[in-house]
Coordinates of all heavy atoms in Angstrom, one line a residue:
Chain G
G617 N 83.1 121.6 61.1 CA 83.7 121.6 59.7 C 83.0 120.5 58.9 O 82.3 119.6 59.5
E618 N 83.0 120.7 57.6 CA 82.1 119.8 56.8 C 82.8 118.4 56.8 O 82.1 117.4 56.6 CB 82.1 120.3 55.3 CG 83.3 120.1 54.4 CD 84.5 120.8 54.9 OE1 84.4 121.9 55.6 OE2 85.7 120.3 54.6
A619 N 84.1 118.3 57.1 CA 84.6 116.9 57.2 C 84.3 116.3 58.5 O 83.7 115.1 58.5 CB 86.2 117.0 56.9
L643 N 81.2 125.5 59.1 CA 82.0 126.4 58.3 C 82.6 125.5 57.2 O 83.6 124.7 57.3 CB 83.2 126.9 59.1 CG 82.9 127.8 60.4 CD1 84.1 128.3 61.0 CD2 81.9 128.9 59.9
N645 N 84.5 124.8 54.2 CA 85.5 125.2 53.3 C 85.9 124.2 52.2 O 86.9 124.3 51.6 CB 86.7 125.7 54.0 CG 87.2 124.7 55.1 OD1 86.8 123.5 54.9 ND2 88.1 125.1 55.9
E646 N 85.2 123.1 52.2 CA 85.4 122.0 51.2 C 86.7 121.4 51.3 O 87.3 120.8 50.6 CB 85.1 122.4 49.8 CG 83.6 122.8 49.6 CD 83.3 123.3 48.3 OE1 84.0 123.1 47.3 OE2 82.3 124.1 48.2
Y647 N 87.4 121.7 52.5 CA 88.7 121.1 52.8 C 88.8 120.6 54.1 O 88.1 121.2 55.1 CB 89.9 122.1 52.6 CG 90.4 122.3 51.2 CD1 89.9 123.4 50.5 CD2 91.3 121.4 50.7 CE1 90.4 123.6 49.1 CE2 91.8 121.6 49.4 CZ 91.3 122.7 48.7 OH 91.8 122.9 47.4
M648 N 89.6 119.6 54.4 CA 90.0 119.3 55.8 C 91.0 120.5 56.0 O 92.2 120.4 55.9 CB 90.7 118.0 55.9 CG 89.8 116.8 55.6 SD 90.9 115.5 55.6 CE 89.8 114.2 54.8
G649 N 90.5 121.6 56.4 CA 91.2 122.9 56.4 C 92.4 122.9 57.2 O 93.5 123.3 56.8
Ligands
MG4 MG1 86.6 121.9 56.4

Side-chain angles (χ1 to χ4, degrees):
Chain G
E618 79 297 332
L643 298 185
N645 52 11
E646 295 174 25
Y647 274 101
M648 298 173 192

